């Protein structure tokens, strides 16, 4: 999961481990999207050009007396930005006000293509003031463009006491242990508070463990490759140990260390992880299904579990036939279980909520306002599902505590995705939860006249 987007704190991809950079600076930057709430609904329009006197060209509205007096940036800096950075060929400024605790927000009207305008504005800002300030071109609640200027030091990541590589290594080791344990190695028993080591059990757990870890690795590789293609740098992935049901891990949180240029870049990096990983997981699951059909099992799965997934139910029906829903359990190969678990991880990461990969992907496709609204609906549905499925409840708690967002803003968020390949990949990733998480339409089992509820993992 890369959650989401520059990531000054852990995203989504895919969607993952605890944040390692949650300082004051990241918090300020994360709330940039809330600029809309500080805006009034009346946007001034630039004065019309004078047609009677062509020589008197239209000029930017002069700032009111003492307008800059109470702003958080120095008055001379604000005036210099208005006079030398903004112009009629990029962004026509109609007003300026404070933003959060460090920056200022410029209201106005965009001229021309947003990406071209941002490139010109950023270049002029650097030419005039060096690298002291950072510019963002965003959209407010009324769908009007706004420009936010913050001191660069206030948006750079703040690191915790434990270095990220050390934290990533510790969480990776814990994920290896929980994955071995879930595959039968019996390293520890949380209920009995016991620890043990059985070489034979550990050896038997290796195939499923390695397959599942390969799926997690493919997810992170997909993010890394897409980021590299777009000149972005990622922090080490922070894996979240799980040990719940089929899952040895909830995936990882991977922070984007660079400033993300656009929504298209954000969606491309976020979608690559789930797509790479899901392709590998599907292949491993098919291999496990073939081995299961050949009688090479080893893991007993309740048939009720197959009813929870459209994909797993269809594949199970093809492998086991009528036996699937006429018995209480079926014998499956560990690779089948590992592939299925990998698909579950990727599907939930693609839910459009918070800083999960799906939240970033949907933001890239439809913008911040739509992503915020759909994210709230997704969390509500996860909460409702949590009444009957503990996995949904755990994911809800994970998103709310670690990845609720908002996604760190891109440099320029006014431009939609233009590349059709990126758009198709984003849509495919968002369809994955429907394929994996929707229930299989099999007949419900009945006990004492009442339908049985799905298992809670």
């Amino acid at each position: 999961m890369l959650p989401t987007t520059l990531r000054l704190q852990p995203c989504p991809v895919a969607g993952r481990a605890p944040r390692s950079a949650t300082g004051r600076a990241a918090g300020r930057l994360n709330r940039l999207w809330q600029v809309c709430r500080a805006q009034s609904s009346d946007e001034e329009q630039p004065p019309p050009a004078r047609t009677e006197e062509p020589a008197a060209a239209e000029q930017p509205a002069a700032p009111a007396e003492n307008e800059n007096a109470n702003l958080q940036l120095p008055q001379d800096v604000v005036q210099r930005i208005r006079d030398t950075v903004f112009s009629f060929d990029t962004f026509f400024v109609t007003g300026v006000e404070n933003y959060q605790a460090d920056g200022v927000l410029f209201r106005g009207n965009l001229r021309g293509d947003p990406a071209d305008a941002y490139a010109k504005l950023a270049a002029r800002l650097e030419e005039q003031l060096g690298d002291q300030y950072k510019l963002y071109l965003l959209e407010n609640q009324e769908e009007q463009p706004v420009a936010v200027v913050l001191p660069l030091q206030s948006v750079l990541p703040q690191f915790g006491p434990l270095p990220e590589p050390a934290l990533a290594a510790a969480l990776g080791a814990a994920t290896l242990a929980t994955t071995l344990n879930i595959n039968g190695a019996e390293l520890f028993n949380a209920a009995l508070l016991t620890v043990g080591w059985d070489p034979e059990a550990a050896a038997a757990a290796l195939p499923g463990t390695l397959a599942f870890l390969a799926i997690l690795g493919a997810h992170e590789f997909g993010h890394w490759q897409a980021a590299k293609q777009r000149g972005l740098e990622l922090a080490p992935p922070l894996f979240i140990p799980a040990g719940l049901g089929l899952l040895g891990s909830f995936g990882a949180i991977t922070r984007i260390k660079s400033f993300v240029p656009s929504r298209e870049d954000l969606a491309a990096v976020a979608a690559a992880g789930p797509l790479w990983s899901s392709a590998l997981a599907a292949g491993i699951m098919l291999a496990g299904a073939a081995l299961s059909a050949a009688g090479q099992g080893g893991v007993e799965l309740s048939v009720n579990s197959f009813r929870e997934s459209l994909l797993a139910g269809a594949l199970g029906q093809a492998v086991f036939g009528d036996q699937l829903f006429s018995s209480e359990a079926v014998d499956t190969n560990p690779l089948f279980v590992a592939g299925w678990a990998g698909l579950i991880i990727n599907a939930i990461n693609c839910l459009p909520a918070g800083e999960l990969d799906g939240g970033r992907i949907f933001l890239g496709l439809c913008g911040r306002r739509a992503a915020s609204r759909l994210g709230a609906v997704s969390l509500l549905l996860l909460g409702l599902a949590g009444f009957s499925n503990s996995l949904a409840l755990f994911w809800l708690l994970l998103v709310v505590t670690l990845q609720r967002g908002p996604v760190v803003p891109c440099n320029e968020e006014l431009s939609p995705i233009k590349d059709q390949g990126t758009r198709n990949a984003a849509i495919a990733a968002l369809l994955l939860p429907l394929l994996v998480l929707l229930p299989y339409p099999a007949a419900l089992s009945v006990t004492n006249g009442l339908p049985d509820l799905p298992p809670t993992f």
Side-chain angles (χ1 to χ4, degrees):
M1 322 168 208
L2 263 203
T4 298
T5 149
L6 167 62
R7 288 208 65 214
L8 299 184
Q9 61 185 35
C11 129
V13 77
R16 289 168 128 325
R19 301 186 182 188
S20 64
T22 56
R24 177 168 171 265
R28 294 193 193 101
L29 185 54
N30 270 348
R31 294 191 296 273
L32 277 176
W33 68 279
Q34 293 174 336
V35 294
C36 52
R37 297 179 182 173
Q39 308 307 310
S40 76
S41 55
D42 348 323
E43 280 290 339
E44 295 182 50
Q45 298 298 322
R50 298 174 59 92
T51 55
E52 297 180 1
E53 298 178 312
E58 144 180 73
Q59 297 295 327
E65 186 176 359
N66 296 326
E67 180 185 13
N68 299 340
N70 297 319
L71 295 178
Q72 291 164 155
L73 296 185
Q75 294 185 44
D76 60 323
V77 170
V78 174
Q79 192 60 50
R80 188 173 178 183
I81 291 174
R82 291 189 66 150
D83 293 341
T84 63
V85 176
F86 297 112
S87 64
F88 284 105
D89 66 335
T90 54
F91 189 84
F92 178 88
V93 175
T94 60
V96 59
E97 59 194 62
N98 284 325
Y99 173 75
Q100 296 296 332
D102 301 290
V104 294
L105 180 147
F106 296 88
R107 291 178 284 106
N109 298 283
L110 182 70
R111 303 297 177 90
D113 179 73
D116 292 341
Y118 179 85
K120 293 178 181 178
L121 291 172
R124 291 172 185 169
L125 182 64
E126 183 176 3
E127 179 183 352
Q128 293 296 324
L129 298 171
D131 59 356
Q132 301 178 62
Y133 297 94
K134 176 64 181 173
L135 172 75
Y136 295 91
L137 195 56
L138 309 173
E139 186 177 75
N140 68 8
Q141 192 75 5
E142 289 75 37
E143 300 184 357
Q144 299 296 323
V146 293
V148 174
V149 177
L150 291 163
L152 182 64
Q153 290 301 318
S154 71
V155 297
L156 292 178
Q158 301 281 326
F159 297 100
L162 186 63
E164 278 187 303
L167 180 60
L171 291 172
T175 295
L176 173 61
T178 54
T179 306
L180 279 168
N181 206 60
I182 213 69
N183 280 279
E186 299 180 358
L187 301 181
F188 55 88
N189 188 311
L192 301 177
L193 299 179
T194 58
V195 178
W197 171 254
D198 184 343
E200 293 185 2
L206 273 179
T209 298
L210 294 177
F212 183 73
L213 294 179
I215 292 169
L216 295 182
H219 188 116
E220 300 311 314
F221 177 79
H223 287 317
W224 176 82
Q225 187 200 49
K228 183 179 179 181
Q229 289 177 344
R230 293 172 181 270
L232 303 177
E233 184 181 359
L234 303 183
L238 304 175
F239 290 96
I240 305 175
L244 177 69
L246 305 177
L247 309 180
S249 170
F250 286 123
I253 294 174
T254 305
R255 185 172 58 87
I256 303 179
K257 299 170 67 174
S258 313
F259 291 104
V260 180
S262 67
R263 286 163 44 189
E264 182 171 306
D265 295 308
L266 179 65
V269 174
L275 293 180
W276 274 80
S277 185
S278 296
L280 179 60
I284 290 175
M285 191 176 181
L286 288 172
L291 292 173
S292 300
Q296 300 182 38
V299 179
E300 290 286 327
L301 280 183
S302 169
V303 296
N304 285 331
S305 299
F306 288 86
R307 294 193 175 102
E308 291 196 325
S309 170
L310 183 62
L311 178 63
L315 188 56
Q317 188 82 60
V319 173
F320 301 105
D322 295 336
Q323 173 194 355
L324 181 62
F325 296 113
S326 62
S327 58
E328 293 184 357
V330 291
D331 189 29
T332 60
N333 188 272
L335 294 183
F336 182 88
V337 177
W340 187 358
L343 286 173
I344 292 173
I345 290 291
N346 285 291
I348 297 181
N349 259 307
C350 285
L351 292 175
E355 291 190 273
L356 296 177
D357 287 331
R360 296 172 180 166
I361 293 168
F362 195 81
L363 189 156
L365 276 174
C366 302
R368 189 167 293 273
R369 293 180 64 200
S372 177
R373 293 170 180 171
L374 185 59
V377 174
S378 299
L379 292 180
L380 175 61
L381 294 177
L382 268 180
L384 294 175
F387 285 104
S388 61
N389 189 308
S390 60
L391 179 62
L393 181 60
F394 273 95
W395 272 96
L396 175 64
L397 294 175
L398 175 68
V399 174
V400 169
T401 56
L402 296 178
Q403 294 187 285
R404 68 176 178 269
V407 176
V408 175
C410 306
N411 292 346
E412 181 269 299
E413 291 194 357
L414 303 180
S415 299
I417 296 177
K418 299 176 182 178
D419 179 67
Q420 191 59 43
T422 301
R423 181 179 293 274
N424 293 340
I427 293 173
L430 291 174
L431 291 177
L432 183 63
L434 301 179
L435 183 63
V436 176
L437 302 179
L438 284 181
Y440 183 73
L444 289 174
S445 59
V446 176
T447 303
N448 297 326
L450 296 174
D452 294 333
L453 291 175
T456 59
F457 282 92

